[in-house]
Amino acid sequence: MKVPFVDLHSQYLALKPQIDAAFQRVVEQSAFILGEEHDAFERAFAAYIGTRHALGVSSGTDALELALLACGIGPGDEVITVPHTFIATCEAITRTGATIRWVDVDPSTYNMDPHLIEPALTAKTKAVLVVHLYGQPADMDSISKICRSRRLKIVEDCCQSHGARFHGQRVGTFGDVACFSFYPGKNLGAYGDGGAVVTNDQAIADRVRLLRNHGQRDKYTHLVEGYCHRLDNLQAAVLGVKLPHLDEWNHQRRQHAALYDKLLNGIPGVITPRLHPHSEPVYHLYVVQVPQRDRVQDVLKQAGIATGIHYPIPLHEQPAYQHLGHPNEDFPVSHDLGPRVLSLPMFPELTSTQIEFVVENLKTSIRS
């Protein structure tokens, strides 16, 4: 049996008539940038998340940068975030000219540890960039309380958490602004790069709308220097077809995770995902900790099972950030996770037979 890590082709086949028709509409109209499909998707995504505004942009990374800029973040400011995340989170901070200030993650949820925020604050801290990692909501009760009391901007990195809820409320609605990625493998994925910024703040929305399109409000009238960070109409058309299916796909992911949890329970050395009690995750990734991770991954590969590693090297240990001078001891949880985390196959079309096959081979790899 072969078990892929994700299966985008199966998802396409299930929606092929609608996808093909959407592409054909865009091509026949020859409206490829900021067209009708784009505007319709923005309205639908804002309604789905529960915000007044959703602005399509060119990627999740660009969404983060634009969101920070729209919050007034720039040179001389500090932004608190975590080292256990994809580098895009921190790239966005440095691209604004601001400085990264890391705090470690919670050893149970792998999300930002709220207890570490206040000790990290300085007079230069202007925002907290919260990552809802792997599709698991961060502890927004504690984080929001700290940020509001200190008048810090909250920017939510929801690039892996489309549709997740905390206390029944969608992630992306707790902060001043939130960002999503539509990279093809995401829970809601396009057929190329894409992203969105969502907010209830009119000023932030207006600023993002201006910056994403060369700083122009009217054609050839450029109020500021901006960027070419637009979501193209073909990608918006794909996303518009997929969005109505997202909740069902997320439900299927939760069912798969529950089966993994059940079958992996009690296997020595294997730690399954542990959730905040008020969260409803969407399992963009199903991440376990295992001993001798590289050997386990190799055994699974030989059995025909594709896996991933998210993320083997925390950002403070990356060559790109060595100049910041952080030893491993500064962020011990992130450091310890690196050689242990393993992402198992997770996608809506995954079958119980495939999950059982993965777990049996994982057991074999642990015993061998």
Side-chain angles (χ1 to χ4, degrees):
M1 183 185 296
K2 299 289 185 181
V3 185
F5 186 59
V6 295
D7 189 354
L8 299 180
H9 186 63
S10 291
Q11 186 182 81
Y12 166 66
L13 291 178
L15 298 175
K16 186 178 187 301
Q18 301 98 304
I19 294 288
D20 290 353
F23 263 68
Q24 186 174 357
R25 285 196 304 273
V26 174
V27 173
E28 287 182 349
Q29 294 168 0
S30 296
F32 300 107
I33 303 295
L34 300 177
E36 292 181 7
E37 302 282 349
H38 171 275
D39 294 347
F41 173 69
E42 284 189 334
R43 292 191 297 271
F45 195 63
Y48 176 82
I49 297 300
T51 54
R52 291 176 58 199
H53 306 281
L55 300 125
V57 297
S58 44
S59 71
T61 308
D62 296 333
L64 289 163
E65 180 186 10
L66 293 178
L68 290 165
L69 289 170
C71 287
I73 305 301
D77 297 331
E78 292 180 351
V79 178
I80 290 177
T81 194
V82 293
H84 185 64
T85 183
F86 185 55
I87 192 172
T89 306
C90 293
E91 285 175 332
I93 295 171
T94 56
R95 279 164 56 173
T96 70
T99 299
I100 303 162
R101 192 159 181 83
W102 282 307
V103 298
D104 212 348
V105 296
D106 182 276
S108 295
T109 65
Y110 313 149
N111 280 320
M112 181 179 287
D113 187 338
H115 300 96
L116 301 178
I117 296 175
E118 290 192 295
L121 296 176
T122 73
K124 297 180 179 180
T125 307
K126 295 297 188 295
V128 174
L129 204 174
V130 185
V131 184
H132 302 292
L133 196 68
Y134 304 152
Q136 318 291 354
D139 181 358
M140 294 310 299
D141 284 341
S142 302
I143 294 170
S144 296
K145 182 178 180 180
I146 294 168
C147 291
R148 299 310 182 203
S149 69
R150 301 288 185 141
R151 297 186 178 179
L152 301 173
K153 293 290 187 182
I154 301 174
V155 180
E156 293 180 73
D157 181 341
C158 305
C159 290
Q160 297 184 2
S161 59
H162 313 64
R165 297 178 188 269
F166 186 76
H167 282 298
Q169 181 178 337
R170 300 272 194 205
V171 299
T173 60
F174 291 89
D176 297 276
V177 62
C179 307
F180 291 83
S181 166
F182 302 130
Y183 186 77
K186 297 302 173 77
N187 292 35
L188 180 64
Y191 286 171
D193 280 313
V197 176
V198 303
T199 184
N200 287 315
D201 189 307
Q202 185 68 53
I204 290 176
D206 290 344
R207 190 67 177 173
V208 171
R209 189 175 288 109
L210 195 67
L211 291 174
R212 73 176 175 183
N213 191 25
H214 298 289
Q216 63 181 359
R217 184 166 294 156
D218 303 310
K219 193 170 185 180
Y220 298 132
T221 302
H222 304 273
L223 304 185
V224 297
E225 284 189 334
Y227 306 86
C228 186
H229 285 347
R230 301 169 303 217
L231 176 67
D232 76 68
N233 218 26
L234 284 169
Q235 303 306 334
V238 171
L239 295 167
V241 171
K242 288 187 172 186
L243 181 58
H245 302 276
L246 179 57
D247 280 343
E248 176 58 28
W249 290 339
N250 286 341
H251 174 68
Q252 291 169 342
R253 287 173 180 267
R254 284 190 290 272
Q255 289 185 314
H256 300 334
L259 182 55
Y260 269 131
D261 288 345
K262 177 182 177 181
L263 297 177
L264 291 168
N265 184 44
I267 300 178
V270 176
I271 299 175
T272 54
R274 289 173 285 182
L275 311 177
H276 190 284
H278 300 300
S279 70
E280 183 181 282
V282 294
Y283 291 101
H284 170 59
L285 298 168
Y286 186 89
V287 179
V288 297
Q289 292 186 56
V290 295
Q292 302 182 62
R293 190 268 317 287
D294 293 344
R295 185 186 63 79
V296 169
Q297 185 179 40
D298 186 59
V299 171
L300 294 177
K301 181 179 179 180
Q302 293 178 35
I305 300 167
T307 57
I309 302 174
H310 302 83
Y311 299 92
I313 305 173
L315 294 181
H316 69 283
E317 298 179 33
Q318 292 283 355
Y321 296 118
Q322 287 300 298
H323 66 282
L324 297 179
H326 286 286
N328 297 336
E329 293 77 17
D330 282 357
F331 312 108
V333 179
S334 295
H335 173 70
D336 290 345
L337 287 172
R340 291 184 52 83
V341 288
L342 181 67
S343 302
L344 301 181
M346 174 58 75
F347 51 93
E349 299 80 12
L350 194 64
T351 68
S352 58
T353 301
Q354 288 175 315
I355 293 173
E356 291 164 359
F357 182 71
V358 171
V359 172
E360 284 304 312
N361 279 277
L362 181 60
K363 288 179 181 178
T364 299
S365 69
I366 296 293
R367 289 194 296 261
S368 62

